[in-house]
Amino acid sequence: MSAAGEPTFRQSVDILYNRAVAVMDLPPGLEQKIRVCNSTYTVRFGVRLRGKIETFTGYRSVHSEHMEPVKGGIRYAMSVNQDEVEALAALMTYKCALVEAPFGGSKGGLCLDPRDYDEHELEQITRRFAYELIKRDLINPSQNVPAPDMGTGEREMAWIADQYARMNTTDINARACVTGKPLNAGGIQGRVEATGRGVQYALREFFRHPEDKAKAGLSGDLDGKRVIVQGLGNVGSHAARFLSLEDGAKIIGIIERDGGLWNPEGIDVAAVQDWMRANGGVQGFPGATYDANGAVLLERDCDILVPAALEGVINLSNADRIRAPLIIEAANGPVTSGADEILRKKGCVIIPDMYANAGGVTVSYFEWVKNLSHIRFGRMQRRQEEARHQLLIDELERLSADKGLGWTLSPGFKEQYLKGADELELVRSGLDDTMRAAYQSMRETWHGRDDVTDLRMAAYIVAIDRVAKSYRAKGL
Ligand code: NAD
């Protein structure tokens, strides 16, 4: 996919890192210490499937242990290799620092196409991979906590959690060894939607700042904005659904593995998902025109481009044809360092991956805290909150009656006001707060310094500065 001369994913991350540290004042040697990946464990293991032993290769890379546990998803894809896992682990370090999740950075991957195996086979493979990582403390509630990524989800996380519990029968915090679990296995409300929800909150925050919108030549809010989304998996489908259903954005293009869909009037995202489930791809979907070469839709006219599939899709071969004035990197590394430079020169604003898709790790952090505290968020306060609100409403109604004021509360107000927050509402509120605060720290650096040209550079500076402070506090 990459044009000739394109750096690898890890090199691309390092190039973008180097741009930022060039304008920072780090002590000698610390710049390299933060950039390098601390360790990458490679494991090859066999699983007996369909009468013969199949050998798999997996990785768990730890980029930075300035805070522990380290955190990062596990990816199942044929493209998984050491370079990719290390690039993703590095991004996790910066991402956690940027959104102030108290973790170091890590990432894992298994080189396989999950569609080639049935559920039972995937369980055997996952449990065996987990066993290899657990016995080396590369999965551990206090040292290394994975989560879902491309090709994995709640189901795989539940298998991993169970495998850890079987191998650590006396660990009371066993459930905190992995996040993104189903609710009944210690998960948290709102984790599945979290990364897509975070993309929505990031865009909402961007559109709150007229100066920032102006840089992309945009105005107004998300209502009516024309959006192209690549990848209708966990991240892309949630982002597209929330943006269209809740913010009035119009999804005019959808790009999937087998091609792209186009409809300037807007595409019903949930209907495409149903179609994909039934037919295995987007081809033939009745509500849009189909193009077998989906990648060309990245180059179409739109207001917001949301690459939410995989890395390297906007590269030296197509960057100069990208017309979107605003790109939000829902996937990790969708824009290569070379493409980043071309797009910057064209005036395109890029909301960088380490911020844009941080919703997942943010809610993972909430899940980990929930597991360690062994209590669901809101359980202690909810009814007490409702009782206090009830007191206020009763008092208002009494006053109105006593004084003959004839006050009536607006329809629906009472129900809404009286209802105490449940776990999902608390998670969304915590996520929104995190995304707003992180955006504001980026934009302060973006607008506050003459040598900072873009949001990505600002994001790196904020993140690296926090990691550096943490190293300094340790005396390094
Ligand atoms: P997923 O496996 O659920 O979805 C990926 C989607 O992309 C699938 O629908 C797949 O068919 C599609 N796809 C694959 N190759 C494609 C191609 N060449 N063109 C178009 N579509 C293609 O994965 P996900 O969890 O949604 O992750 C997507 C991206 O978001 C990855 O870069 C991942 O690292 C990043 N991310 C995920 C999370 C999370 O919580 N899941 C968190 C942060 C970042």
Side-chain angles (χ1 to χ4, degrees):
M1 177 182 298
S2 313
E6 194 100 52
T8 67
F9 187 10
R10 191 181 55 74
Q11 289 165 341
S12 194
V13 170
D14 286 351
I15 289 168
L16 298 167
Y17 172 94
N18 290 340
R19 273 188 75 226
V21 288
V23 303
M24 294 179 74
D25 192 20
L26 292 182
L30 189 56
E31 164 260 322
Q32 189 195 3
K33 172 66 208 82
I34 296 176
R35 176 168 32 80
V36 298
C37 188
N38 288 2
S39 64
T40 302
Y41 171 66
T42 306
V43 61
R44 294 181 189 86
F45 59 90
V47 181
R48 180 172 287 280
L49 300 170
R50 302 172 205 175
K52 69 175 176 62
I53 292 181
E54 207 171 319
T55 304
F56 296 91
T57 304
Y59 306 88
R60 187 79 185 156
S61 178
V62 175
H63 175 261
S64 176
E65 290 148 293
H66 68 288
M67 284 197 192
E68 285 188 293
V70 293
K71 192 100 190 60
I74 290 183
R75 174 176 288 196
Y76 283 3
M78 286 308 289
S79 59
V80 165
N81 59 47
Q82 183 168 344
D83 185 275
E84 181 188 76
V85 171
E86 290 187 356
L88 292 164
L91 282 175
M92 283 306 298
T93 297
Y94 311 136
K95 190 180 304 185
C96 291
L98 184 63
V99 296
E100 298 181 283
F103 303 123
S106 182
K107 201 81 181 191
L110 198 52
C111 185
L112 90 177
D113 186 342
R115 293 170 304 175
D116 292 344
Y117 303 92
D118 67 28
E119 186 166 5
H120 176 64
E121 291 169 335
L122 277 173
E123 178 172 352
Q124 283 177 278
I125 299 164
T126 302
R127 282 186 182 276
R128 184 58 207 274
F129 183 36
Y131 169 81
E132 296 294 337
L133 297 181
I134 293 162
K135 73 179 185 192
R136 290 172 180 84
D137 286 335
L138 288 165
I139 297 178
N140 182 300
S142 56
Q143 289 190 33
N144 197 322
V145 181
D149 192 75
M150 216 165 114
T152 59
E154 287 190 330
R155 180 184 66 174
E156 287 73 17
M157 301 307 114
W159 292 331
I160 293 172
D162 184 63
Q163 187 65 29
Y164 181 89
R166 286 186 192 188
M167 292 167 70
N168 295 274
T169 49
T170 57
D171 186 346
I172 195 169
N173 292 321
R175 284 182 152 184
C177 77
V178 66
T179 56
K181 303 175 293 289
L183 259 187
N184 59 15
I188 191 166
Q189 298 270 8
R191 174 59 183 90
V192 177
E193 66 166 42
T195 311
R197 183 64 77 185
V199 170
Q200 175 196 33
Y201 290 165
L203 280 172
R204 283 184 180 174
E205 181 59 16
F206 176 85
F207 277 89
R208 280 189 195 105
H209 301 281
E211 213 181 336
D212 302 8
K213 286 184 275 189
K215 291 216 181 239
L218 295 167
S219 57
D221 55 20
L222 283 162
D223 193 28
K225 292 286 179 298
R226 298 161 307 143
V227 179
I228 298 175
V229 181
Q230 181 189 42
L232 218 54
N234 179 325
V235 180
S237 66
H238 283 103
R241 273 187 12 220
F242 298 148
L243 289 170
S244 56
L245 296 178
E246 298 171 13
D247 296 301
K250 217 194 279 183
I251 311 299
I252 59 170
I254 290 177
I255 307 163
E256 254 295 328
R257 278 177 210 269
D258 66 321
L261 298 176
W262 186 256
N263 184 349
E265 298 310 314
I267 304 171
D268 180 342
V269 179
V272 178
Q273 284 185 283
D274 289 344
W275 182 268
M276 283 175 68
R277 267 189 288 274
N279 302 284
V282 294
Q283 187 173 9
F285 176 72
T289 52
Y290 170 77
D291 191 329
N293 182 5
V296 295
L297 299 190
L298 291 169
E299 301 165 17
R300 294 260 178 101
D301 193 25
C302 66
D303 298 311
I304 307 169
L305 179 58
V306 189
L310 68 171
E311 59 265 20
V313 292
I314 300 173
N315 50 51
L316 292 176
S317 75
N318 62 359
D320 55 356
R321 293 193 303 276
I322 299 291
R323 279 187 270 173
L326 176 64
I327 297 177
I328 179 157
E329 294 184 321
N332 282 307
V335 177
T336 65
S337 54
D340 186 74
E341 197 178 334
I342 295 171
L343 291 165
R344 244 184 292 126
K345 285 186 182 147
K346 286 193 349 171
C348 171
V349 174
I350 301 176
I351 303 180
D353 47 8
M354 81 172 74
Y355 166 69
N357 65 38
V361 74
T362 301
V363 178
S364 274
Y365 167 39
F366 302 155
E367 179 177 335
W368 181 73
V369 171
K370 174 184 179 183
N371 293 152
L372 294 179
S373 55
H374 300 267
I375 187 164
R376 141 174 79 75
F377 287 108
R379 182 162 173 183
M380 304 293 279
Q381 311 91 315
R382 185 173 175 187
R383 302 300 169 194
Q384 194 261 356
E385 222 177 84
E386 288 181 0
R388 287 174 65 88
H389 290 174
Q390 185 69 57
L391 270 179
L392 183 68
I393 296 284
D394 290 349
E395 189 61 9
L396 277 175
E397 285 176 344
R398 187 192 61 76
L399 268 176
S400 170
D402 284 3
K403 310 275 179 207
L405 298 171
W407 290 348
T408 45
L409 299 168
S410 349
F413 170 83
K414 199 163 152 179
E415 294 68 34
Q416 244 182 310
Y417 184 70
L418 282 179
K419 191 174 158 296
D422 61 14
E423 186 172 79
L424 183 60
E425 283 165 302
L426 291 170
V427 162
R428 286 179 179 162
S429 133
L431 175 60
D432 193 13
D433 185 58
T434 304
M435 296 308 288
R436 289 188 199 207
Y439 186 83
Q440 282 156 23
S441 63
M442 275 192 310
R443 78 180 297 275
E444 260 170 42
T445 305
W446 184 24
H447 297 302
R449 289 176 58 155
D450 292 339
D451 53 1
V452 178
T453 55
D454 54 278
L455 273 171
R456 190 193 310 278
M457 195 174 177
Y460 269 99
I461 291 174
V462 173
I464 295 166
D465 185 54
R466 288 183 183 158
V467 177
K469 284 197 175 106
S470 158
Y471 273 119
R472 266 187 234 136
K474 288 180 172 192
L476 245 180

